[in-house]
Amino acid sequence: MGPRGAFLEIPLSVLATSLCAVNWRSFVVFVFISLFAVFIQTNGLFSTRITALTMAIGSPLFRKGACSPLLLFLILFTTTTVYASVGDRLPEFQQCVQVCKTENCLPPNTTPLPLHLRLLFWTCPSECDYTCQHIITSTRLSRNEPVVQFHGKWPFYRLLGMQEPFSVLFSLGNFWAHHDGLHNHILKKIPATYSMRPYYVWLARIGMASWFFSAVFHTRDFRVTEELDYFAAGASVLYGMYYTVVRVFRLDRVSKRGMRKSWTGTCVGLYLAHVGYLKGVGWDYGYNMGANVAIGVVQNVLWTWFSVTRYSREGKGWMVWPGLVVMWVVAAMSLELLDFAPVWGCLDAHSLWHLGTIGPAVVFYRFLVRDSEEVLRREGRLKA
């Protein structure tokens, strides 16, 4: 497991600059400026706070008072970087693990584990690691010392063998949101004759796969479950950009078949290159986060532009839903910036981020239905 601090730094500039925007045009400008920040941060050129502060101060919108200096100060200086793997480097932790293994994991005195732990591939050494994490954490708390991370993770209390129970629960909540969107909205309410329907079906299916593997990864953190989670999440993010371009620019139409094929080939190539880089070149956490943020920003900008222009032209309330969803997702993502030791030993910022993405998915599937009905109504009227 890589340093979690690297994950937290990358989205900071995106959040800080987007909150400084006064209208959708400035939002778009700030988002594209943030892409430059992602490049800087993933290549380790400057610290996150210096990068975000420089962009905001140098922006004409900031100088015109579009961004509250107090808000920027709070974002930049109340957010702390988390340094992973402090706990597992502590001598007392290493000694605890070694003593535990010697006394419990060597035959003939091997301590048996309960069945439900063995079913989730807990072993005697991993049980020692888990137990010592909480022994060291309790000792540090009794001395008024801060809670630290072990192997890049907070010391969570497991439930039925699950390492991060709330992240598992909220991942399954997102799985339900996509399942409900597929079976109760897309398949039931969008006619099979609508050319965008297959793209929405695959949106739900890939979303379900992504959140299933997220639940698996948070249940047990192994290299294979981590890779499945990351590759599925990457597919979900990239497909989100793919179908967004198809819908916004109506590449689903027969007249744009050539453009659609080129766009499909481009996205497939990008995904294969992404997986190939992570598997063949190096498992780079900073690159993975940077790539996902960049693709997600493009998708969010497109939907924001689509939402604002359509609402400005037609004035129907449901047409602003994509823009609201984008704001909701950005706000949920900001929870990653407020990383803190888990409340009750199991509820942390990452799990709350997963909770915060359930609502937007529910709303967005309803938007897709309304948008499909509007398109079909117009096309039917034009044919008539």
Side-chain angles (χ1 to χ4, degrees):
M1 186 69 182
R4 191 167 181 182
F7 284 89
L8 300 178
E9 291 192 351
I10 293 172
L12 180 55
S13 296
V14 177
L15 174 68
T17 53
S18 64
L19 287 177
C20 294
V22 291
N23 52 46
W24 73 271
R25 291 183 180 85
S26 61
F27 173 80
V28 171
V29 171
F30 268 129
V31 162
F32 278 105
I33 292 175
S34 298
L35 289 178
F36 178 67
V38 170
F39 171 79
I40 288 177
Q41 291 160 25
T42 54
N43 287 278
L45 301 181
F46 295 103
S47 70
T48 301
R49 292 174 180 175
I50 292 175
T51 303
L53 185 61
T54 301
M55 288 191 304
I57 292 177
S59 167
L61 293 178
F62 180 84
R63 291 196 297 269
K64 292 179 181 179
C67 179
S68 165
L70 177 60
L71 173 62
L72 183 62
F73 177 84
L74 291 175
I75 292 173
L76 296 179
F77 296 101
T78 61
T79 304
T80 58
T81 300
V82 176
Y83 296 95
S85 301
V86 172
D88 47 274
R89 293 199 301 267
L90 293 174
E92 56 267 35
F93 172 77
Q94 296 175 356
Q95 181 181 9
C96 175
V97 172
Q98 185 58 48
V99 170
C100 177
K101 288 180 180 179
T102 301
E103 295 184 354
N104 297 281
C105 302
L106 298 178
N109 299 320
T110 302
T111 302
L113 297 180
L115 177 61
H116 71 281
L117 295 181
R118 286 183 278 127
L119 289 175
L120 290 179
F121 304 103
W122 287 91
T123 63
C124 186
S126 63
E127 181 70 9
C128 283
D129 191 288
Y130 170 82
T131 301
C132 287
Q133 286 187 31
H134 289 285
I135 290 175
I136 298 302
T137 298
S138 297
T139 302
R140 290 179 65 85
L141 289 173
S142 68
R143 299 197 298 244
N144 293 320
E145 295 176 349
V147 177
V148 295
Q149 293 187 349
F150 298 82
H151 313 295
K153 285 179 173 287
W154 292 112
F156 294 94
Y157 284 110
R158 66 192 177 197
L159 175 65
L160 300 177
M162 295 181 291
Q163 284 181 276
E164 300 174 62
F166 275 103
S167 287
V168 173
L169 175 63
F170 298 147
S171 292
L172 294 177
N174 280 277
F175 177 91
W176 166 83
H178 288 278
H179 182 275
D180 177 73
L182 174 62
H183 293 282
N184 293 327
H185 295 279
I186 295 173
L187 296 180
K188 282 187 177 181
K189 299 176 182 179
I190 299 180
T193 55
Y194 182 46
S195 56
M196 282 299 301
R197 186 178 190 252
Y199 296 95
Y200 297 158
V201 169
W202 277 106
L203 169 68
R205 288 174 176 171
I206 294 175
M208 290 164 61
S210 173
W211 287 108
F212 170 78
F213 286 118
S214 173
V216 170
F217 171 61
H218 289 299
T219 297
R220 287 292 277 127
D221 179 2
F222 295 118
R223 183 54 184 257
V224 63
T225 59
E226 181 182 47
E227 289 185 356
L228 289 172
D229 176 40
Y230 278 47
F231 293 154
S236 180
V237 172
L238 187 56
Y239 186 81
M241 183 181 71
Y242 168 73
Y243 92 92
T244 298
V245 170
V246 173
R247 170 60 190 92
V248 170
F249 299 105
R250 293 311 307 267
L251 300 187
D252 56 303
R253 289 173 173 165
V254 176
S255 61
K256 297 183 178 180
R257 181 180 180 185
M259 295 177 62
R260 183 173 67 251
K261 284 187 174 181
S262 297
W263 176 237
T264 301
T266 298
C267 289
V268 171
L270 285 173
Y271 182 69
L272 293 178
H274 175 70
V275 174
Y277 177 84
L278 290 175
K279 288 291 291 182
V281 178
W283 191 257
D284 189 330
Y285 292 91
Y287 156 75
N288 180 73
M289 175 60 80
N292 281 287
V293 168
I295 296 299
V297 164
V298 172
Q299 178 187 353
N300 288 343
V301 167
L302 286 173
W303 277 120
T304 301
W305 172 78
F306 179 82
S307 179
V308 171
T309 54
R310 287 196 66 187
Y311 178 76
S312 300
R313 186 172 62 245
E314 303 177 37
K316 296 181 179 180
W318 60 269
M319 292 179 176
V320 303
W321 291 358
L324 295 176
V325 166
V326 167
M327 294 173 61
W328 194 338
V329 170
V330 170
M333 189 177 182
S334 70
L335 290 169
E336 282 285 83
L337 307 175
L338 305 175
D339 200 29
F340 50 83
V343 179
W344 307 310
C346 55
L347 185 65
D348 70 328
H350 187 76
S351 62
L352 291 175
W353 173 35
H354 287 341
L355 173 63
T357 55
I358 298 174
V362 172
V363 172
F364 201 76
Y365 280 110
R366 283 156 176 77
F367 163 77
L368 293 179
V369 172
R370 295 291 296 271
D371 180 60
S372 301
E373 292 172 347
E374 181 71 10
V375 171
L376 290 171
R377 183 185 65 80
R378 289 185 177 183
E379 291 179 349
R381 185 175 61 188
L382 290 173
K383 291 178 181 178

